[in-house]
Amino acid sequence: MPDSQPNAVSVTINGTQIEAEAGELVIAAADRNGVHIPRFCYHERMSSVGMCRMCLVEVDTGRGPMLQPSCMISVTDGMIVDTESDQTKRAQEGILEFLLINHPLDCPVCDKGGECPLQDQTVAYGPGESRFIEEKRHYEKPIPISDLVHLDRERCILCDRCTRFADEVAGDPLIQFTERGNETQVLTFPNEPFSSYFSGNTVQICPVGALTAAPYRFKARPWDLEQVESTCTTCSVGCRVAVQSSRNELVRYLGVDIDPVNHGWLCDKGRFDFEAIKSPNRLETPLIRDPNDKDQLIETTWGAALAASADAIKEARSGKIGVIGGSRLTNEDAYAWAKLAGSVIGTNNVDAQLGDGLPGKVVLGLPGATIDEACSADTVLVIGPDLKEELPILHLRLRGAAKKKKVKVVEITPLQTGVSSYAHRSIVCRSGEAAKTLKSLLTSDDELSQEIRSGSVVVILGRSSLAESALPAIEVASVITEELPKAKFLVALRRGNVRGAIDMGLSPGLLPGRVPLENPNDEIKKIWAKVPTVEGLDTAGMLRAAADGQLDVLILVGADPLVDFPDQDLANRGLRGAKFVVAIDNFPTLSVANADVVLPATAYGEKGGTTTNIEGRVSRLAQLVTSPSAARDDWMIASELAWRLGGDLKFSSMEEIWSEIEQVAPSHNGITLEKIWADETRDGILITETSIQLAIEPSGETPVVDGYGLRLISGRKLYDAGTQTSNCASLSALAQDAELRVNPTELERLGIQDGSEVTIISTKATGVAIAIADESIPRGTAVLPFNNPGIRANLFINSELPVTDIRIETR
Amino acid sequence: MGYLDGFKITFGKLFEERVTTEYPKEKREKPDRFHGRHVLNRYEDGMEKCIGCELCAGVCPAKCIYVRGADNPEEAPVSPGERYGFVYEINYLRCIHCDLCVEACPTEAITESKLFEFSFDNRSDAIYTKDELVVDDQGLPQKQPWELWHVGDDLKTSGWMRATASSGNPAYENRVGWSGELGYGVREPERGQQFDESEPQNLDGKDDQD
């Protein structure tokens, strides 16, 4: 702390004088100055409770030295702290002896053994021998408190970390202390499991082995783990993770604390989806359509599969080729595919999004905000998907900021979301009409409107429902740029590296480096053999063209339009209409089964590179395990295809690709490999520069729902029937069956019993689902999760319309 | 006598006890703490002692041990407790018989026998699996086709070969601190290094004052 700091105080710790901030905890000041005070309950991201007493140190504030818990007292000027005095040591020995009275010492079978703070601190600060010879306390050994977490109460030292996390940070206070005195124990409430989306964090912060993760149970011991630091790509928040493997198999992810993004937390989906990577369902060899039996895909060689794909591309009419997908890719892979499409094939029919996000030009054209800016703005407007379901760590950060009264969260949503619980105001509007509601709010002289206008505003913008087109969200953007010109945006796109793929030009009308197609920069003209000039089609456009026989080859790069495109009927017609479909994927998805050639790609943890999160923050990925048999990196596949098409992408490693990106992409200029790999850039490098001018076209009115219909609202759940989740043994069971939720009065009106089967009728399809009466659903709407086991919402959605209305009937 | 001195020695040796043996027809007695190949012991009730904690693998300087633990099946538990050794392999092409695994084992599951004569002719035979290492129903090691055994060799299997007493405290020497073993029951403690018959045993580790 520099001397100029007005509230700096001077403290002596172990004889060394240090400067600390007034109000800072002694333990935090010591940490910052390299003095380690042992602790169990103190956690820098949570409030202090002083439960364990392990951090007792001798503190002298002028009245003579006395033992005080350093996590509970703030520094004062002239304070003298001794963390190594005889008194302190005696206290530490005593506390540890007490903590070990009932600790079972089953370290050899405990998953925490070897990395256990209690073990380590007993060795470092303990008395060496115990005088306790009586029988220890016994409880039933491990009891599953949720599908993912086991609790062993014998091992628990009652530090209050898990219970505090569940209450303070996650907002799911589902575990709590029960009983009193010697019987005090952590427990869930009767018949209510600890089903939090963030339960895995309690396992990570547990200072003993009381909470262990079911997916990691007995999988490895700390000393046989190999570890690299990487970035999670399960959603687009980009949390920092430590990826750990044992014997070339991923066994665990741990959250790494970085300030701008995740604060050390991970959601359970991100934490446990490593199981998918070692799934036996992974695609391992290239597949090709059997010439004798058109319904079969048979194994083939890479040579044959690539040759067949290249021939199909060569035979296709010019410009009649489309590339869908790219959010699974690293930035380098995405650039390779953008270059293949643009420079070799010569098309701009590329789209990393599957009609489930916002147009690339809007994403890059809106003034961007960081997560930190959102968490320190005066007002955050949330108009988009349920953050808790789609971007859980962003939800956690926002919740933390709202609870600390740092931001006012105002939400405009068609139905209650995870954000509603901490929102300053949660305004429910009809699906598709957020812009209208927002406009009338901002133009009114409501107190809230004044509050919003008077301070800084960050808008978290996305698609509130996948049954809406992107139009309502774009309208919201246009209202905001008009009414609140200083507002910044955090675009809530969900998929892993979708932002990176857009940055790399996998979006119609864009070139790598956030450059518009109309105005290519000089470097790209120099380096690319040719630069496309005609703006291509987006995914919906490509599928429509393919359905009409206007597209010959469709390349799916980690895309499954049959499941992820909001309009299954169109996706289906598109895939059937295209003459030749090449699918590059990790898993045999529904769309892969419809392809003519299938190429297996390497997955997360099997390749290095970089990824970009929703803020535009580039951070590195690391390779730790090898891929199963014949899978290849996506950029290698692009390179091979280019060569077979008579072109040359001119790179032979991830590093070379990055160097080319650094040259070609103006926004990425100057971000060299050395910078990316430097220790200071663990947090990633934020890229804010963009050459895209935002142009929002005015659009028509949303149609009014008729008296008989219900407006369909469909969002994604954290645990759904998605490819990644359904290939994780531990997570797939957590996906709840799809149910149609409707307001009870609507069911009554239609004479439908709660919990009975109903027929859903839309202009696209008719299907059967269970109807559940739910008070929280606004009247006139029906909610069906987008992709949960049972019935998929994209069966009913018409992507040509701004909103989809359905009718329901008894069966 | 000059040159006949040498013959005197030769002649004298004819009547001394012979030190060479007709190995491999006959084998010499092995020292108590001889380090041969390992066995995985079982409790008297037949349960395996190994809990798959991997401490042996962690301490092994030759990295020749591969262990994986797994959840103990509730209906047919393999070992007492939550966890059991699911995979246990030792590669004898790498093992240097240092016995650190025996030292590290918290349940005395792994000990070494006096058996060391292997004549396997391929590498996979050199990797002993759990089925080969675990003792049979009499508590004796299982003979592998490539091992040279004489009658009675297998009897001298584990024995207590821990070089140090618990916490390194010599006062604990000769005190039985281990559980019973299938086929043997609770083994008698081995003679400690500082063992002296003339002194009374101090088994409580307390000062001799009364």
Side-chain angles (χ1 to χ4, degrees):
Chain A
M1 205 78 14
D3 284 332
S4 55
Q5 202 77 23
N7 50 0
V9 293
S10 160
V11 187
T12 311
I13 298 184
N14 296 346
T16 316
Q17 195 162 1
I18 61 149
E19 298 290 312
E21 204 179 328
E24 196 176 9
L25 295 170
V26 172
I27 196 166
D31 268 352
R32 235 175 2 84
N33 288 281
V35 177
H36 180 76
I37 299 173
R39 82 286 303 262
F40 294 110
C41 70
Y42 170 74
H43 191 279
E44 55 181 3
R45 296 287 184 192
M46 296 191 288
S47 62
S48 290
V49 285
M51 285 292 275
C52 72
R53 317 311 276 181
M54 190 61 210
C55 67
L56 284 173
V57 290
E58 255 191 318
V59 176
D60 186 353
T61 49
R63 296 189 298 163
M66 55 190 139
L67 286 172
Q68 300 216 42
S70 56
C71 74
M72 291 303 283
I73 52 163
S74 310
V75 290
T76 51
D77 207 24
M79 184 184 262
I80 298 166
V81 180
D82 195 340
T83 71
E84 288 165 351
S85 71
D86 289 343
Q87 272 302 313
T88 310
K89 279 188 183 147
R90 232 176 78 86
Q92 289 168 343
E93 285 188 3
I95 296 296
L96 277 169
E97 199 175 355
F98 274 137
L99 286 179
L100 290 174
I101 280 180
N102 274 317
H103 192 76
L105 296 180
D106 55 355
C107 309
V109 294
C110 175
D111 270 337
K112 202 82 177 183
E115 52 180 9
C116 173
L118 183 58
Q119 262 186 342
D120 296 348
Q121 294 184 35
T122 302
V123 172
Y125 304 98
E129 259 183 72
S130 171
R131 292 169 290 178
F132 188 82
I133 50 166
E134 288 79 8
E135 185 71 12
K136 299 196 178 210
R137 188 180 54 192
H138 288 293
Y139 288 118
E140 189 190 337
K141 273 176 104 70
I143 47 171
I145 53 169
S146 76
D147 291 302
L148 297 169
V149 179
H150 290 282
L151 168 66
D152 185 328
R153 288 164 292 170
E154 289 185 356
R155 293 179 189 151
C156 178
I157 58 165
L158 306 175
C159 71
D160 198 20
R161 271 191 180 187
C162 55
T163 45
R164 241 183 313 158
F165 172 84
D167 183 23
E168 269 177 30
V169 182
D172 301 314
L174 296 168
I175 41 173
Q176 207 31 275
F177 287 126
T178 59
E179 307 291 337
R180 287 289 177 272
N182 189 40
E183 294 290 304
T184 312
Q185 51 190 284
V186 165
L187 211 58
T188 50
F189 296 99
N191 303 322
E192 208 174 332
F194 180 37
S195 52
S196 166
Y197 283 169
F198 307 98
S199 64
N201 292 300
T202 61
V203 175
Q204 189 178 336
I205 58 175
C206 180
V208 291
L211 292 166
T212 49
Y216 177 67
R217 187 168 160 82
F218 304 155
K219 285 283 185 299
R221 308 299 321 257
W223 52 85
D224 61 40
L225 294 177
E226 281 174 64
Q227 175 177 318
V228 290
E229 228 181 86
S230 189
T231 310
C232 179
T233 57
T234 302
C235 76
S236 59
V237 173
C239 300
R240 199 90 189 124
V241 288
V243 178
Q244 298 181 327
S245 73
S246 174
R247 295 217 148 211
N248 201 25
E249 199 176 81
L250 295 181
V251 292
R252 181 166 70 169
Y253 297 160
L254 293 176
V256 174
D257 195 331
I258 58 166
D259 233 23
V261 186
N262 60 327
H263 288 187
W265 312 127
L266 295 179
C267 66
D268 285 357
K269 185 175 177 181
R271 184 180 293 272
F272 297 121
D273 68 1
F274 61 83
E275 285 182 343
I277 289 154
K278 53 184 179 185
S279 152
N281 298 339
R282 280 283 299 276
L283 287 172
E284 295 195 351
T285 45
L287 305 172
I288 198 162
R289 198 90 3 237
D290 190 347
N292 306 318
D293 176 7
K294 287 289 174 200
D295 295 332
Q296 281 263 313
L297 281 167
I298 51 168
E299 288 189 6
T300 183
T301 59
W302 270 101
L306 286 167
S309 314
D311 287 346
I313 295 170
K314 268 190 249 172
E315 280 166 26
R317 294 164 288 169
S318 81
K320 304 292 179 199
I321 297 163
V323 179
I324 296 179
S327 50
R328 178 178 56 75
L329 311 184
T330 63
N331 288 338
E332 287 83 349
D333 289 332
Y335 177 77
W337 273 94
K339 189 172 177 186
L340 171 70
S343 166
V344 179
I345 300 175
T347 177
N348 188 235
N349 290 339
V350 286
D351 195 354
Q353 302 184 79
L354 290 153
D356 56 353
L358 298 176
K361 280 187 168 174
V362 175
V363 174
L364 297 183
L366 291 169
T370 63
I371 297 174
D372 269 348
E373 277 169 349
C375 291
S376 58
D378 294 314
T379 312
V380 173
L381 274 173
V382 182
I383 305 169
D386 188 345
L387 296 182
K388 192 176 178 183
E389 303 285 346
E390 300 213 347
L391 304 166
I393 296 300
L394 179 60
H395 152 80
L396 220 57
R397 286 288 313 271
L398 204 59
R399 183 181 180 278
K403 288 277 163 191
K404 284 184 189 135
K405 307 268 181 247
K406 278 195 195 156
V407 296
K408 243 189 259 102
V409 178
V410 177
E411 179 194 37
I412 300 179
T413 169
L415 75 165
Q416 249 182 30
T417 67
V419 175
S420 311
S421 65
Y422 54 88
H424 173 66
R425 188 82 73 84
S426 189
I427 301 165
V428 176
C429 70
R430 188 171 281 283
S431 172
E433 292 170 11
K436 218 159 81 183
T437 313
L438 180 69
K439 181 121 188 168
S440 54
L441 169 72
L442 291 176
T443 49
S444 73
D445 49 4
D446 188 88
E447 203 183 313
L448 184 65
S449 162
Q450 306 296 330
E451 283 173 17
I452 295 172
R453 283 177 180 280
S454 62
S456 58
V457 178
V458 170
V459 186
I460 298 179
L461 179 71
R463 302 257 294 258
S464 304
S465 157
L466 288 167
E468 292 172 10
S469 69
L471 220 60
I474 296 170
E475 281 171 354
V476 169
S478 102
V479 170
I480 287 180
T481 44
E482 201 177 296
E483 299 287 335
L484 302 164
K486 281 191 193 145
K488 287 180 153 190
F489 290 83
L490 195 55
V491 183
L493 302 179
R494 180 180 147 276
R495 296 175 172 279
N497 191 25
V498 57
R499 185 62 194 265
I502 297 172
D503 279 358
M504 291 303 113
L506 282 183
S507 189
L510 294 177
L511 289 173
R514 309 177 181 176
V515 174
L517 195 69
E518 312 84 73
N519 196 8
N521 49 327
D522 295 337
E523 285 81 8
I524 200 163
K525 283 193 256 175
K526 232 183 296 164
I527 290 176
W528 283 24
K530 56 184 175 228
V531 180
T533 47
V534 188
E535 180 162 336
L537 303 167
D538 63 358
T539 297
M542 282 186 257
L543 290 171
R544 217 172 291 132
D548 298 344
Q550 294 301 311
L551 214 58
D552 293 341
V553 178
L554 210 50
I555 306 175
L556 307 175
V557 189
D560 182 7
L562 284 180
V563 173
D564 289 325
F565 187 72
D567 188 338
Q568 196 187 55
D569 166 59
L570 179 57
N572 211 348
R573 283 188 289 131
L575 288 192
R576 283 178 206 289
K579 279 194 200 132
F580 199 85
V581 179
V582 182
I584 298 149
D585 216 314
N586 299 142
F587 291 98
T589 62
L590 221 55
S591 303
V592 163
N594 281 293
D596 296 286
V597 168
V598 181
L599 305 172
T602 49
Y604 185 77
E606 296 169 356
K607 57 184 175 185
T610 58
T611 183
T612 309
N613 81 344
I614 39 169
E615 306 164 283
R617 184 183 302 278
V618 175
S619 52
R620 52 182 191 252
L621 298 166
Q623 189 253 334
L624 184 62
V625 292
T626 48
S627 51
S629 63
R632 289 190 189 176
D633 289 357
D634 297 85
W635 69 265
M636 290 182 190
I637 299 171
S639 238
E640 277 269 358
L641 271 179
W643 182 75
R644 280 167 197 269
L645 292 169
D648 186 358
L649 296 186
K650 295 200 177 123
F651 35 65
S652 54
S653 71
M654 283 265 193
E655 289 75 22
E656 279 178 43
I657 304 178
W658 186 264
S659 306
E660 190 172 317
I661 294 173
E662 199 257 312
Q663 269 187 314
V664 167
S667 54
H668 292 58
N669 274 167
I671 300 169
T672 55
L673 270 178
E674 291 75 45
K675 271 196 187 164
I676 287 177
W677 281 100
D679 275 344
E680 311 84 79
T681 48
R682 261 176 102 213
D683 293 358
I685 300 168
L686 188 70
I687 297 175
T688 48
E689 196 192 316
T690 178
S691 329
I692 307 289
Q693 295 295 319
L694 183 66
I696 299 175
E697 295 139 31
S699 55
E701 282 281 294
T702 323
V704 186
V705 65
D706 67 46
Y708 302 100
L710 296 171
R711 181 144 301 167
L712 182 65
I713 301 175
S714 182
R716 290 178 188 276
K717 295 280 171 201
L718 188 69
Y719 305 126
D720 60 7
T723 312
Q724 188 97 341
T725 316
S726 49
N727 281 296
C728 290
S730 313
L731 298 181
S732 56
L734 297 175
Q736 286 169 349
D737 286 345
E739 288 162 343
L740 188 77
R741 294 189 166 267
V742 186
N743 192 292
T745 53
E746 296 287 353
L747 286 188
E748 223 170 275
R749 181 171 66 90
L750 296 163
I752 296 167
Q753 282 232 303
D754 182 11
S756 65
E757 279 191 342
V758 292
T759 311
I760 305 173
I761 304 156
S762 83
T763 53
K764 284 282 182 180
T766 306
V768 178
I770 305 276
I772 302 286
D774 188 338
E775 297 267 359
S776 71
I777 311 291
R779 292 173 66 174
T781 54
V783 179
L784 186 66
F786 188 70
N787 181 22
N788 273 47
I791 190 152
R792 290 198 179 90
N794 71 352
L795 208 59
F796 307 106
I797 298 169
N798 186 347
S799 63
E800 322 262 327
L801 299 174
V803 288
T804 298
D805 289 340
I806 55 165
R807 292 180 189 203
I808 56 174
E809 285 172 5
T810 38
R811 290 197 80 210
Chain B
M1 288 283 276
Y3 63 90
L4 285 176
D5 279 359
F7 286 109
K8 202 172 98 190
I9 290 168
T10 312
F11 197 73
K13 291 281 172 194
L14 280 176
F15 302 100
E16 276 181 22
E17 202 190 339
R18 205 174 54 169
V19 292
T20 54
T21 54
E22 288 287 315
Y23 184 78
K25 280 184 203 150
E26 47 184 280
K27 290 190 196 174
R28 275 205 220 163
E29 189 80 352
K30 299 291 179 299
D32 276 350
R33 296 188 175 200
F34 183 85
H35 294 180
R37 77 122 155 124
H38 304 82
V39 285
L40 285 173
N41 298 305
R42 290 156 73 179
Y43 290 104
E44 283 172 277
D45 62 1
M47 290 267 213
E48 283 173 17
K49 289 189 169 184
C50 178
I51 49 170
C53 73
E54 296 188 31
L55 280 167
C56 47
V59 79
C60 180
K63 296 273 166 273
C64 69
I65 309 183
Y66 170 41
V67 191
R68 278 289 117 122
D71 236 325
N72 220 347
E74 248 170 69
E75 313 79 53
V78 181
S79 73
E82 288 175 61
R83 177 177 178 141
Y84 78 104
F86 169 62
V87 177
Y88 202 109
E89 288 174 5
I90 299 180
N91 184 349
Y92 281 102
L93 293 171
R94 288 189 186 175
C95 177
I96 57 169
H97 296 279
C98 65
D99 247 19
L100 284 177
C101 47
V102 180
E103 297 280 330
C105 183
T107 60
E108 307 109 27
I110 186 165
T111 54
E112 289 200 334
S113 68
K114 311 275 178 285
L115 303 163
F116 68 99
E117 290 121 324
F118 312 142
S119 52
F120 34 68
D121 52 11
N122 66 69
R123 278 160 190 274
S124 61
D125 284 350
I127 299 169
Y128 277 49
T129 60
K130 191 179 150 190
D131 288 342
E132 293 166 342
L133 288 167
V134 78
V135 292
D136 66 13
D137 292 343
Q138 276 72 50
L140 296 172
Q142 304 180 55
K143 187 175 187 310
Q144 304 308 321
W146 52 84
E147 288 180 343
L148 174 69
W149 285 24
H150 285 190
V151 177
D153 278 2
D154 52 336
L155 294 173
K156 295 167 179 172
T157 53
S158 71
W160 277 99
M161 294 181 289
R162 287 188 177 224
T164 52
S166 58
S167 307
N169 183 349
Y172 285 89
E173 270 198 24
N174 304 317
R175 241 178 124 170
V176 177
W178 48 84
S179 49
E181 220 173 89
L182 185 66
Y184 294 95
V186 179
R187 285 187 195 251
E188 281 299 297
E190 259 181 49
R191 251 162 48 139
Q193 280 160 332
Q194 280 94 47
F195 187 74
D196 186 347
E197 302 261 3
S198 63
E199 276 180 33
Q201 280 306 292
N202 175 5
L203 293 184
D204 295 327
K206 288 182 193 142
D207 287 332
D208 255 352
Q209 278 170 353
D210 41 14

